[in-house]
Amino acid sequence: MTVREGTHGKGGGLLPALSAPRFVGRDDELGTLASALGRTPAVVLIEGEAGIGKTRLLREFLASQTARGRRALVGACLELRVPYTLGAVVDAVRDGVDNVAALRLNGLAGALRPLFPEWADDLPPAPEPLEDATAARHRLFRAFVEVLGRLDVAVLALEDVHWADEATLEFLLFLVSRRPQPVSVVVTFRRDEVPSASPLLRLSSRLPPDARPVRLAPRPLDVAETASFISSMLAGGHVSHAFAAFLHARTAGVPLAVEESVRLMHDRADLIRRDGGWARRRLDRIEVPPTIRDAMLERVQRLGPGTRAVLYAAAVLSGPADHATLLAVTGLPEERFAEQSAEALGSGLLREDTSGQWSFRHPLACYAVYDAIPAGDRRVMHLRAGRALRRWPVPPVAQLARHFRLAGDAEAACRYTEEAADLCVQSGDVATSALLIHSLVATVPLPAEVLVRLVTKIQFQALSGSDPYSAIIASLRSALAGQVLTAAQQASVRFQIGRVLMVAGEIEAGRGEILTAIAHLPPGSAEMARARVLLALPLGNARPVREHLRWLREAPPPTPSMASLDRLHLSVERAFALLMLGEEAGWAAAREIPDDVPEPRAASIVVSGHTNVGEEATRWGRYEEAGARLARARTLAERHQLLDYLDSIASSQAHLDWFTGAWSGLAERTARLLGDDSGVRLKDRCEAALVAGLLHAASGDREAAGERLCFAGRDDQQRIEAAAALAQLCLRDGDVDEALRLTDQLAEIAVGGGLWSRAVEIAPARTAALAAAGRLQAASEVADAFEGALGDRDAPAARASLVLCRAILAEAGGRLLEAATLFTRAATAWEALPRPYDALLARERSARCLLAGGREELALPALSDVARALSGLGASGDAGRIVRFLDGRGGRVPAVPRGRGRPGYGNRLSPRELEVARLLVEGLTNRQIADALVVSAQTIASQVKSAMRKMGVTSRTALAVRVVESGLVGDLDQSGVGGLNPRPASDE
């Protein structure tokens, strides 16, 4: 189809009018679709990057199905900051229904009334409301299935489902899980924009056994197809191979990028005929725009102001818009709008569907145009859009919230945002509710009282992204600094700042804000109670336990006058605080947390509560309780679609699995959490890093272990255990001073402050470091303080840890047989949890004490058994260490299979250590080596120290000589460095 008049070329000739490109290079995909959808209802997933041609493929196929009398409904998910619940499904069904009454729907269809207010006269009465959000959603889904059945729909196709709301994805899962499957389902999406926990992934991974899933991934065009594609736009003229190859290289063969680049070149009159075919002027000098965005914007700027106004209005409305709404947003007179809209349509950027709805042909074009709108014009257009939509018989509150927010109308934005957020909660969509409020608070200045009310409603855990906190804190600080507030209002704002800071992990800053605010908070209020409970949490630079307990005792108890969510928050946070402080009463408080609640906001609080209790149960050593709590949290999060909570549950489960020896697949699970630095919160990534570091240490990869454990220490709740693990690595390396430094302050917080639940890992590490330094009295005081803080509490992990401390002291004091007995007792205690890795390490130390005490006949077989068990667990580095020790003594060496993961190199230099040694031989300093290898100088110092230990030398120069003499860096002769004459190495 011709879309615009011809253009004069630079040489004066008339270029042909551009046509829509022909469908090229997709015969195989069309055949696959026809085969898949020609029989039993199927599930087809079409994935690919933006502009690859997913929509064109789908529409070309569906056009052929319509010609054969098979009915298909098509909906599209829009990229909105706040998605519309079931929006794509609603649009598809609405477009497919001409006469609702003729469908003769049963009473179940009354559930559709909120989504189709225009059908109110023809739908059955609304059914009774259900308290259970899951049941309400299930009823709604069944109503949709009935409509699809009455319409005799063969295919339901939804485009761009990577932008779909949770309810839409759940509906798709509902459809494909029904037997028989009511319709074939086709979805298009961009795989790299699908969140890791999205239900979309379950469309292929958790289908029923008899389902017929088909995956299609349209490939980019090759050079020949690119030439054919361009030719179809230029009236079928021949396209030179050089031009096609050039454009293919610049666009990677992505059809949309090819199309838009050709359109831009056409607009620039950059096309010429040469040797009987189309080419571009001076391929070596004129650059094709590097991105589709650049191409779009230049095309837009070549249009007149009125035409741009139409495009700007379409971009502001974002989705399909009718003629009247588009007219209202442009602000143009009606007669002028008719002319300018026709030109906008002719530009090829917009399209009009059969129902008269206008939208951009490609989402990328919409975003590029939107970003190009001057800020002042954009605000005016959003205000016009809000006023136009507000006049609809059933105003779309979510869209109104967006438009008034972006227009800067605080009062209207607040009203519609709260209304839309409440509707989302009623439908079980907590994530969208949180996103709506977050978007408003982060972008629109609000009065302090309104701001506090809204911030209190935000469920941060339901928000995606690694940092949903900073923008909210900035808005609160702005209100505090820029508004005239009473002392009580200031305290309320400051309390929210402190609360959000603590949730974000900035513990000391948050505690300081709350301490400043607390004197002016209303006595007996929920704010006062929550403030004292937050101060009771022993986080950051924790105070002595008695001080935290005082804050907790002073917190007002929940009262009937408090809102139900406030009461639930208080009970959950109080249980968490008691358990963190090591109080047995916390378990009774934890039993008051319900297993399930019908209301989604309450469910999010309960999910966090069970997850936190699960974490504390892990620290106490009550692993069965921990597993049960995490399972409850996971079930509830999935039931209420609180998908962003699953990462926290997953990281806590990984931590528990490390302790219990459930290591199968553990490295992969932690890698997934660590790899998503934009979607997984820092706390969860740090906990995953802790587990990954411990796994690396067990496998013998000292370098990787150190890096992961250092990262884990960035989170307050992981830093003590991470420091303890790093200290143990330092002790194995013989670096006692570093082990002392790592454990000094944190041991004082945990052990000296009476915080025994945080001392389980740090107390043995601190005891061992002091003992290695010959400070036995100080080491004994650590163990005594730990025992005094623990008292008679039922905490199996702490009990085992205390026995381990006593064993370390006995060994350091030369009481070897006593130490062997104590290490065996510690191993037995660890095994009872179960905590097999620590049990095996304790048995190894018991055997070594026996060996040092002359009981070789008992020690060597025990060491052999421990090595075999460690290898079976996956601790190949520890197993290898024992095997090398036994081999050196001529003892019975067990056959130890090679573990998975990175290899342990024992007393051999690792590849990275060899690389460091090579650069050291060349005379580079640690800083120069770090710069060359793009790591920190601290990492290089650790690697040099490890290499020195393995090579049995005490200086960098001696290390350089030793590695050259050993032939480990013999290749240096070829680079001009004498094989036996290394340059002196600076002893940094």
Side-chain angles (χ1 to χ4, degrees):
M1 178 184 70
T2 301
V3 296
R4 61 171 296 162
E5 296 294 325
T7 303
H8 284 275
K10 293 183 179 179
L14 187 68
L15 297 176
L18 284 181
S19 299
R22 186 168 58 84
F23 193 51
V24 172
R26 297 289 185 252
D27 291 342
D28 290 344
E29 288 89 343
L30 280 175
T32 301
L33 275 173
S35 175
L37 298 174
R39 301 189 300 276
T40 306
V43 181
V44 179
L45 298 94
I46 306 175
E47 61 178 280
E49 63 180 299
I52 198 65
K54 304 181 293 297
T55 295
R56 182 78 183 271
L57 171 64
L58 174 62
R59 292 179 183 270
E60 292 283 343
F61 172 77
L62 292 180
S64 69
Q65 296 298 294
T66 301
R68 297 176 186 175
R70 302 191 72 210
R71 188 166 193 187
L73 297 185
V74 183
C77 304
L78 306 176
E79 188 191 27
L80 302 173
R81 182 170 176 79
V82 179
Y84 304 147
T85 302
L86 287 169
V89 181
V90 169
D91 290 345
V93 171
R94 180 184 287 119
D95 291 344
V97 175
D98 296 323
N99 186 345
V100 180
L103 296 179
R104 299 183 180 276
L105 300 172
N106 64 28
L108 186 65
L112 298 172
R113 281 177 168 270
L115 299 177
F116 298 93
E118 67 273 26
W119 295 355
D121 293 340
D122 298 314
L123 286 174
E128 290 293 322
L130 299 174
E131 290 187 359
D132 188 308
T134 304
R137 184 171 288 185
H138 185 268
R139 182 170 65 187
L140 181 63
F141 290 172
R142 288 166 53 213
F144 270 113
V145 169
E146 185 194 9
V147 173
L148 295 176
R150 296 297 175 90
L151 290 173
D152 194 26
V153 173
V155 178
L156 174 65
L158 298 186
E159 299 181 63
D160 294 325
V161 293
H162 50 276
W163 291 328
D165 60 287
E166 298 295 341
T168 297
L169 296 176
E170 286 298 317
F171 177 63
L172 291 175
L173 289 169
F174 177 84
L175 278 181
V176 302
S177 299
R178 287 179 71 86
R179 288 295 171 268
Q181 184 177 321
V183 295
S184 288
V185 172
V186 183
V187 298
T188 72
F189 63 100
R190 302 177 196 168
R191 181 63 183 85
D192 58 352
E193 291 191 30
V194 178
S196 58
S198 171
L200 174 59
L201 302 178
R202 288 151 54 193
L203 272 180
S204 59
S205 63
R206 299 189 189 177
L207 288 174
D210 61 338
R212 299 176 47 253
V214 174
R215 280 187 175 273
L216 282 176
R219 57 175 177 76
L221 304 176
D222 60 25
V223 175
E225 290 165 344
T226 300
S228 178
F229 187 92
I230 299 169
S231 173
S232 70
M233 297 179 68
L234 296 169
H238 172 70
V239 174
S240 70
H241 177 78
F243 178 34
F246 173 81
L247 200 52
H248 180 270
R250 294 290 176 168
T251 62
V254 175
L256 176 60
V258 175
E259 178 183 354
E260 295 304 326
S261 296
V262 171
R263 290 187 182 280
L264 177 59
M265 288 184 283
H266 183 275
D267 290 349
R268 286 177 169 178
D270 244 352
L271 298 172
I272 59 170
R273 291 191 67 84
R274 179 183 295 153
D275 299 329
W278 288 106
R280 193 175 183 219
R281 298 173 183 269
R282 300 186 300 276
L283 291 178
D284 59 332
R285 295 183 60 185
I286 301 177
E287 184 178 356
V288 173
T291 65
I292 297 174
R293 183 179 299 275
D294 292 341
M296 294 289 178
L297 293 182
E298 186 160 350
R299 285 181 61 202
V300 170
Q301 292 306 314
R302 290 181 178 274
L303 301 171
T307 307
R308 286 203 301 272
V310 175
L311 294 174
Y312 289 171
V316 164
L317 289 167
S318 185
D322 60 66
H323 181 278
T325 304
L326 199 60
L327 169 62
V329 177
T330 62
L332 296 172
E334 188 165 359
E335 61 277 4
R336 189 178 174 202
F337 172 78
E339 177 186 351
Q340 303 300 331
S341 61
E343 185 173 342
L345 192 65
S347 72
L349 291 171
L350 297 182
R351 67 181 176 194
E352 183 179 14
D353 64 22
T354 55
S355 63
Q357 299 283 310
W358 290 45
S359 63
F360 278 86
R361 292 183 61 234
H362 301 294
L364 289 176
C366 180
Y367 313 144
V369 172
Y370 183 84
D371 289 343
I373 304 173
D377 294 347
R378 189 184 305 158
R379 285 192 296 272
V380 169
M381 285 188 159
H382 277 296
L383 187 59
R384 291 175 185 156
R387 290 171 177 172
L389 296 176
R390 188 162 56 186
R391 291 193 292 268
W392 284 16
V394 182
V397 290
Q399 295 182 51
L400 287 169
R402 169 179 175 262
H403 287 303
F404 283 118
R405 172 173 57 81
L406 294 173
D409 186 334
E411 188 276 330
C414 186
R415 181 171 72 255
Y416 288 115
T417 295
E418 290 200 84
E419 188 176 341
D422 289 342
L423 287 173
C424 289
V425 171
Q426 291 171 23
S427 64
D429 194 351
V430 175
T432 301
S433 174
L435 184 57
L436 278 163
I437 299 173
H438 186 279
S439 300
L440 175 66
V441 170
T443 57
V444 178
L446 298 169
E449 290 186 359
V450 175
L451 182 62
V452 167
R453 184 181 74 244
L454 290 173
V455 171
T456 303
K457 288 185 174 183
I458 297 176
Q459 299 288 334
F460 285 98
Q461 192 70 32
L463 293 168
S464 58
S466 59
D467 179 19
Y469 315 106
S470 297
I472 303 304
I473 293 168
S475 295
L476 289 164
R477 289 197 187 282
S478 178
L480 193 63
Q483 298 182 28
V484 178
L485 305 175
T486 66
Q489 289 173 326
Q490 289 183 33
S492 185
V493 173
R494 199 176 290 280
F495 165 67
Q496 292 299 330
I497 294 173
R499 181 181 71 85
V500 178
L501 281 168
M502 292 188 74
V503 173
E506 297 183 43
I507 305 301
E508 291 306 313
R511 181 178 283 131
E513 296 285 356
I514 294 174
L515 283 169
T516 302
I518 201 165
H520 299 286
L521 292 174
S525 65
E527 282 184 318
M528 172 64 81
R530 293 194 68 191
R532 292 186 181 277
V533 171
L534 287 173
L535 291 173
L537 295 175
L539 302 171
N541 297 326
R543 282 62 170 167
V545 165
R546 62 181 178 276
E547 185 175 333
H548 289 287
L549 284 172
R550 177 176 60 81
W551 283 115
L552 194 59
R553 284 193 298 269
E554 293 175 355
T559 63
S561 62
M562 293 180 183
S564 60
L565 290 181
D566 286 332
R567 294 198 303 271
L568 184 59
H569 262 302
L570 278 173
S571 62
V572 166
E573 290 170 351
R574 182 174 180 275
F576 183 39
L578 284 168
L579 291 174
M580 288 189 77
L581 293 168
E583 293 297 304
E584 296 273 9
W587 297 112
R591 286 192 288 273
E592 297 299 318
I593 301 175
D595 289 342
D596 195 5
V597 286
E599 203 272 321
R601 281 184 181 147
S604 66
I605 299 170
V606 171
V607 168
S608 294
H610 284 305
T611 304
N612 289 337
V613 172
E615 291 177 357
E616 291 310 305
T618 299
R619 290 192 170 95
W620 282 57
R622 299 186 177 192
Y623 296 154
E624 185 176 348
E625 170 88 7
R629 292 283 178 170
L630 294 176
R632 280 180 220 161
R634 187 181 305 107
T635 298
L636 194 56
E638 291 174 346
R639 182 179 303 155
H640 288 273
Q641 292 303 298
L642 303 171
L643 302 183
D644 290 294
Y645 289 66
L646 295 177
D647 289 334
S648 291
I649 299 169
S651 64
S652 297
Q653 184 67 55
H655 204 166
L656 175 62
D657 290 345
W658 156 260
F659 285 130
T660 60
W663 291 7
S664 178
L666 188 54
E668 293 75 15
R669 284 187 279 143
T670 57
R672 181 194 70 78
L673 292 166
L674 276 167
D676 188 356
D677 59 358
S678 62
V680 179
R681 282 168 175 67
L682 179 63
K683 170 195 173 297
D684 303 324
R685 294 180 64 225
C686 286
E687 190 165 24
L690 173 66
V691 176
L694 293 169
L695 287 169
H696 283 309
S699 70
D701 192 338
R702 171 67 171 83
E703 177 186 349
E707 290 175 357
R708 291 303 191 202
L709 293 171
C710 284
F711 180 83
R714 293 172 59 184
D715 176 64
D716 181 78
Q717 295 196 53
Q718 316 306 326
R719 63 175 182 151
I720 293 180
E721 188 174 344
L726 283 168
Q728 296 287 13
L729 291 176
C730 290
L731 290 173
R732 291 182 189 179
D733 292 341
D735 192 345
V736 176
D737 290 341
E738 181 64 8
L740 287 169
R741 186 192 68 79
L742 285 166
T743 57
D744 187 11
Q745 181 184 5
L746 296 178
E748 179 58 30
I749 290 174
V751 181
L755 192 60
W756 64 262
S757 67
R758 293 299 187 272
V760 173
E761 316 304 328
I762 198 75
R766 180 64 176 173
T767 301
L770 290 168
R775 296 165 57 186
L776 294 186
Q777 180 59 37
S780 180
E781 289 171 358
V782 169
D784 291 344
F786 185 20
E787 183 174 16
L790 177 59
D792 59 356
R793 292 174 177 83
D794 181 12
R799 293 283 166 204
S801 177
L802 179 58
V803 176
L804 182 61
C805 290
R806 297 300 186 193
I808 293 168
L809 288 168
E811 182 183 23
R815 306 187 306 276
L816 296 177
L817 294 183
E818 179 188 347
T821 300
L822 287 169
F823 278 124
T824 299
R825 279 181 52 196
T828 301
W830 290 130
E831 287 164 354
L833 291 177
R835 194 158 151 174
Y837 179 63
D838 290 283
L840 289 169
L841 293 184
R843 292 201 179 279
E844 176 193 355
R845 296 192 69 170
S846 175
R848 289 181 184 270
C849 287
L850 288 173
L851 190 62
R855 305 295 297 273
E856 185 171 314
E857 73 285 359
L858 296 176
L860 294 179
L863 284 173
S864 180
D865 291 342
V866 168
R868 189 176 294 104
L870 284 168
S871 178
L873 183 62
S876 56
D878 295 298
R881 182 189 68 248
I882 298 173
V883 166
R884 289 188 296 275
F885 174 78
L886 290 173
D887 188 42
R889 293 186 61 89
R892 179 166 62 91
V893 180
V896 176
R898 189 180 191 83
R900 293 184 297 173
R902 301 193 193 186
Y905 296 96
N907 287 324
R908 295 179 292 112
L909 299 188
S910 70
R912 176 49 66 92
E913 289 167 345
L914 281 170
E915 179 70 6
V916 170
R918 183 183 69 79
L919 295 173
L920 184 146
V921 167
E922 294 183 2
L924 274 66
T925 66
N926 281 3
R927 171 52 61 191
Q928 291 168 328
I929 296 173
D931 291 342
L933 300 181
V934 198
V935 296
S936 69
Q938 184 178 359
T939 296
I940 296 301
S942 175
Q943 290 163 345
V944 169
K945 189 178 296 184
S946 176
M948 289 164 54
R949 176 180 55 79
K950 290 179 179 181
M951 300 304 291
V953 297
T954 57
S955 72
R956 289 163 56 89
T957 300
L959 175 62
V961 172
R962 181 64 57 85
V963 296
V964 172
E965 289 177 343
S966 302
L968 296 176
V969 291
D971 290 343
L972 289 175
D973 285 338
Q974 301 174 11
S975 59
V977 181
L980 296 176
N981 295 290
R983 283 175 272 181
S986 171
D987 287 318
E988 288 189 334

